[in-house]
């Protein structure tokens, strides 16, 4: 495909007259909506630097992405947001390309460490053409949209495959860039054109790990299906007189490969119980075992066969590392924990063919289970030789495109997907029955729990359910009618919050949105690593918030509302030097459109310059269709500020209000419309308001004077500016809106304290504690027939044989990503959960667990690294699995602040009663 040159594509556009910011925003919005309605494979997108694009967004008033807000939260004074009216210069992508010297026609490549939104954005071709026509610049970085995975999810291929082509004649190396969706036939054509040789005289080898793996025959199979990886090598042979020039019948050491046919035989060590050779693999595995099914694409790499042949001594079983294929440490860490889970090891080393569910529409036709089984078997049969999980990653990418590519991901997200995928692939239920659940209706918990579990098992029955799924009890109580709803739900892991014992003091000023009282500052103590809901609850208690009232929290910056805090906000995103305010309204009032009022004063009488000052106010608009409604709302919210003694001066002595304002009185924030005809033919005295008010756009720009009959367009938030006159200053005491306290006043340097430490039981207590649902997560009460902010309480009911604890170290909000490095003390032996289990059924098994694996995360969010600790149960010894490297580790060293996922197995033998979490001699260190 020929990609148009950016320098010549816009000859006509250069003739276009400049657009206003509003026109640019409208044009781009319309083009975006149009392209989103006709997404298809092959569409062209362009990569643009976020640094430039956010400047353009600020210029036209378009909402910026997460990156801009993160940047501003750390240094608002240097932010581009403070220069909202500045037109950006030419498009500049130089900060995201790796080889700037290639910008004059060379092979431009993106830097490998880029992330979408924070580093770059993708825009459709038509939008790029518009932007380039308006601003010029570049360089152009076109990318194609492809379909990925079995669901054919559309995605832009920002990083095509980079393959290192090694020429067998002179060992020269050439980098070939090609889409992973390209066919092997297209690869041959590209190499043929490069080497100027007939494709029929070439043979290309998969040369992963600098070793011939498989011959890549000319076919329509895609490079993705061939498991070719980013930056790997491919080897080029040439045919001379019908023979291949290099020693294609030899392995990488020059030895001939002996291909001896053998009689297939059954073995307890075969994959899925299929036919196997002595090395555990059979010829034409995919087609012989699953003829006519979707398994036809299953292939075994030569590397796989070699790995299995290298069976180490019995004592080395389970000690193989996993090669890092490029930012796959997250996957390797989770996989090592799973492949060292004893029940799964026993299961996948046996014959599980009959349990593969190829018809399940929620599954992956059994392919994921087979790929995982192959990998587990290789890891348990290759001694200490590191295994490249290429085939598994290829299958994973097909069914979960979010894990394709080479970006870092979360090991817990991979674990959740993998366990769910294995369950669906191995679900023994072929036809899931429809079951309508019944309400508990005050029946005994045991009866309801058994009923819910039987419903669950009727639709879900697999090895994953057998060993990894438990059941918890969920109790909802309506705060109005006290209706109680009890359900029993399955779980596969428990995501535990990390309660912090460290608190921070925060001062928030509360304004009354209905104008019923003066603003009042409140200082509250909240968890340092808490969330918006913690601040909301603490502030609500401090200001005696009624049950029918709510608070709208916002950050004020430079006398404007910079942002409203959302429910997912983490408190570390709120800095001490910020000014946070709360607007108090009834819940009913909060359902109306909001009126946001900013204030200005006349700074320079000669020039008519006005500047913003005071704290913005927020109130509600009840059926405000014109300027009169705005005036009423402003009068209401300013009510508490009204001075008690005030005599109105003669109107002619004061500044004319909304009547005759000269054009010189326009402000630095925005330009007012021409005034001469703003009232039409009407008498100004009939249309003027008691305040000088201007309505603005979302950015606070484009001011238009408001008269009584000004039509107010329906909007969730209406923004206005109030220009304070001498009369307003005489009428209202503005001092209450000045100099609001910061979140925390800087004081003396606090002495560094010991790193915070909590126990696993504290995390469990926090997870199971009763708490009210959030405003966005209200429950529909069948008694009230209304959505209510019910209280919710979780209890453990049925424990699985394998229990996984996910320590929630990462918090994400729209404005900040944060990681907690809190040290969590967790038991290695004798984790006793009996006090948390509410079921009294003795058949539930022991509630005591032993730790056998840990997934660790080191470093921050940007450049972190995953590894795993796993215990070989037979040896009773721990090992550190760090990608390819496997080393012994003492039990005393496995408890670290990097622990992220904890894997425990039920102790089935009866043991004497031991205090919770205590194991002989380690309680003090625990």
């Amino acid at each position: 495909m020929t990609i148009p040159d950016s320098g010549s594509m816009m000859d006509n556009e250069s003739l276009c007259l400049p657009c206003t910011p509003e026109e640019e925003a409208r044009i781009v919005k319309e083009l975006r909506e149009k392209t989103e309605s006709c997404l298809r494979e092959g569409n062209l997108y362009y990569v643009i630097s976020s640094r430039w694009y956010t400047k353009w967004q600020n210029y036209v008033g378009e909402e910026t992405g997460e990156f801009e807000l993160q940047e501003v939260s750390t240094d608002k004074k240097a932010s581009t947001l403070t220069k909202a009216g500045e037109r950006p210069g030419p498009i500049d992508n130089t900060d995201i390309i790796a080889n700037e010297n290639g910008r004059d026609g060379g092979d431009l490549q993106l830097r490998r460490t880029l992330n979408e939104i924070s580093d770059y954005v993708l825009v459709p071709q038509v939008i790029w053409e518009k932007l380039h026509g308006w601003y010029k610049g570049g360089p152009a970085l076109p990318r194609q949209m492809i379909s990925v995975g079995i669901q054919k999810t559309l995605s832009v291929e920002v990083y095509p495959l980079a393959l290192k082509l090694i020429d067998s004649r002179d060992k020269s190396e050439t980098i070939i860039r090609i889409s992973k969706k390209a066919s092997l036939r297209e690869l041959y054509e590209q190499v043929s054109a490069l080497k100027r040789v007939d494709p029929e005289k070439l043979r290309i080898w998969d040369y992963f790990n600098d070793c011939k793996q498989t011959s890549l025959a000319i076919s329509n199979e895609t490079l993705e299906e061939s498991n070719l990886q980013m930056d790997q090598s491919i080897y080029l042979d040439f045919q001379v007189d019908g023979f291949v020039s290099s020693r294609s019948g030899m392995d990488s050491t020059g030895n001939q490969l002996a291909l001896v046919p053998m009689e297939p035989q059954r073995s307890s060590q075969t994959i899925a119980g299929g036919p196997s050779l002595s090395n555990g693999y059979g010829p034409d595995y995919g087609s012989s075992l699953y003829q006519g099914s979707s398994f036809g694409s299953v292939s075994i790499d030569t590397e796989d066969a070699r790995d299995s042949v290298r069976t180490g001594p019995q004592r080395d079983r389970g000690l193989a590392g996993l090669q890092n294929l490029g930012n796959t440490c997250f996957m390797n860490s989770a996989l090592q924990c799973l492949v060292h889970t004893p029940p799964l090891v026993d299961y996948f080393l046996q014959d599980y063919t009959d349990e593969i569910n190829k018809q399940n529409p929620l599954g992956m036709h059994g392919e994921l289970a087979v790929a995982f089984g192959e990998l587990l078997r290789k890891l348990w049969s290759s001694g200490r030789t590191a295994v490249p999980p290429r085939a598994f990653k290829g299958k994973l990418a097909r069914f979960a495109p979010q894990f394709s590519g080479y970006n870092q991901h979360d090991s817990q997200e991979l674990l959740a997907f993998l366990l769910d995928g294995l369950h669906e692939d191995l679900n023994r239920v072929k036809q899931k029955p429809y079951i309508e659940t019944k309400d508990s209706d005050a029946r005994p918990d045991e009866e309801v729990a058994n009923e819910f579990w039987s419903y669950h098992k009727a639709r879900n029955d697999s090895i994953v359910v057998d060993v990894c799924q438990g059941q918890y009890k969920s109790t909802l109580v309506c705060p109005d009618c006290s209706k109680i709803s009890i359900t029993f739900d399955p779980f596969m892991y428990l995501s535990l919050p990390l309660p912090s014992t460290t608190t921070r003091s925060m001062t928030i000023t509360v304004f009354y949105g209905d104008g019923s009282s003066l603003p009042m500052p409140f200082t509250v103590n909240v968890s340092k690593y808490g969330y918006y809901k913690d601040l909301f609850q603490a502030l609500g208690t401090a200001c005696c918030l009624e049950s029918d009232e709510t608070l709208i929290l916002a950050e004020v910056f430079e006398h404007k509302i910079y942002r409203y805090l959302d429910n997912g906000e983490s408190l570390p995103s709120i800095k001490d030097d910020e000014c946070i305010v709360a607007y108090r309204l009834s819940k009913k009032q909060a359902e109306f459109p909001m009126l946001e009022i900013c204030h200005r004063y006349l700074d320079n009488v000669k020039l008519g310059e006005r500047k913003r000052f005071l704290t913005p106010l927020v109130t509600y608009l009840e059926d405000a269709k014109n300027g009169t409604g705005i005036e009423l709302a402003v009068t209401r919210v300013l009510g508490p500020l009204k001075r008690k003694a005030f005599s109105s001066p003669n109107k002619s002595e004061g500044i004319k209000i909304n009547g005759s304002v000269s054009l010189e009185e326009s402000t630095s924030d925005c330009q007012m419309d021409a005034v001469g005809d703003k009232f039409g033919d009407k008498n100004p005295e009939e249309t003027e308001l008691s305040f000088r008010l201007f309505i603005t756009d979302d950015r606070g720009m484009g001011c238009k004077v408001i008269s009584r009959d000004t039509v107010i367009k329906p909007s969730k938030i209406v923004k206005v500016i109030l220009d304070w006159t001498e009369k307003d200053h005489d009428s209202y005491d503005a001092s209450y809106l000045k100099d609001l306290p910061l979140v925390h006043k800087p004081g003396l340097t606090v002495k560094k304290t010991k790193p915070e430490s909590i126990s696993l039981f504290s995390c469990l207590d926090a997870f199971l504690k009763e708490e009210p649902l959030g405003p966005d997560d209200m429950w529909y009460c069948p008694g009230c027939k209304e959505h209510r902010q019910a209280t919710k309480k979780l209890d453990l009911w049925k424990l699985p044989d394998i229990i996984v604890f996910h320590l929630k170290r990462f918090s994400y909000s729209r404005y900040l990503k944060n990681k907690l490095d809190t040290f969590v003390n967790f038991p290695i032996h004798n984790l006793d959960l009996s006090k948390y289990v509410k079921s009294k059924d003795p058949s539930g098994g022991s509630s005591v667990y032993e730790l056998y694996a840990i997934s660790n995360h080191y470093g921050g969010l940007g450049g972190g690294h995953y590894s795993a600790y796993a215990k070989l149960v037979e040896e009773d010894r721990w090992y550190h699995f760090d990608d390819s490297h496997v080393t012994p580790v003492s039990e005393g060293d496995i408890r670290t602040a990097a622990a992220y996922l904890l894997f425990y197995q039920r102790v089935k033998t009866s043991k004497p009663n031991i205090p919770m979490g205590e194991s002989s001699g380690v309680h003090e260190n625990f």
Side-chain angles (χ1 to χ4, degrees), residues 233-244:
S233 300
I234 53 176
Y235 195 81
L236 180 62
D237 276 340
F238 297 84
Q239 290 187 358
V240 180
D241 298 328
F243 297 95
V244 179

Side-chain angles (χ1 to χ4, degrees), residues 274-295:
S276 74
L277 302 180
S278 59
N279 60 6
Y281 295 93
D284 301 322
Y285 162 67
S287 57
S288 64
L289 184 56
Y290 300 104
Q291 291 179 1
S293 75
S294 61
F295 285 85

